[in-house]
Amino acid sequence: MNVPPEARMGNDIARQLGHLPTAQAAEAIADHIERFWEPRMRRNLEALVAAQDDALDPLVVDAAGLLAARAS
């Protein structure tokens, strides 16, 4: 299965932070993405979330929602 790079990287971050409570983990993932991912990567992640890509960890989907809320 070919997993998009943004899904793979986001899932890796989610695995590293999975020991945290869900809301705290999603916030930490969103913070990481906001600080270290370039805009193109964030747009690609948004597109994966919009397409409901099943390769995404639910924490990454939650983090993307937090990023969208921050942007508005």
Side-chain angles (χ1 to χ4, degrees):
M1 182 165 102
N2 191 13
V3 177
E6 292 80 10
R8 180 184 49 78
M9 291 186 293
N11 291 345
D12 287 346
I13 299 165
R15 261 191 302 283
Q16 293 295 319
L17 299 171
H19 65 283
L20 297 173
T22 303
Q24 189 178 356
E27 188 73 37
I29 294 165
D31 289 344
H32 178 89
I33 290 170
E34 194 169 52
R35 280 190 216 139
F36 299 109
W37 288 26
E38 61 185 48
R40 174 189 51 85
M41 294 170 66
R42 291 193 296 269
R43 284 191 303 272
N44 289 344
L45 178 62
E46 290 170 10
L48 291 172
V49 171
Q52 298 180 345
D53 192 309
D54 60 355
L56 290 172
D57 185 292
L59 286 173
V60 177
V61 175
D62 291 347
L66 292 171
L67 289 169
R70 291 177 188 176
S72 60

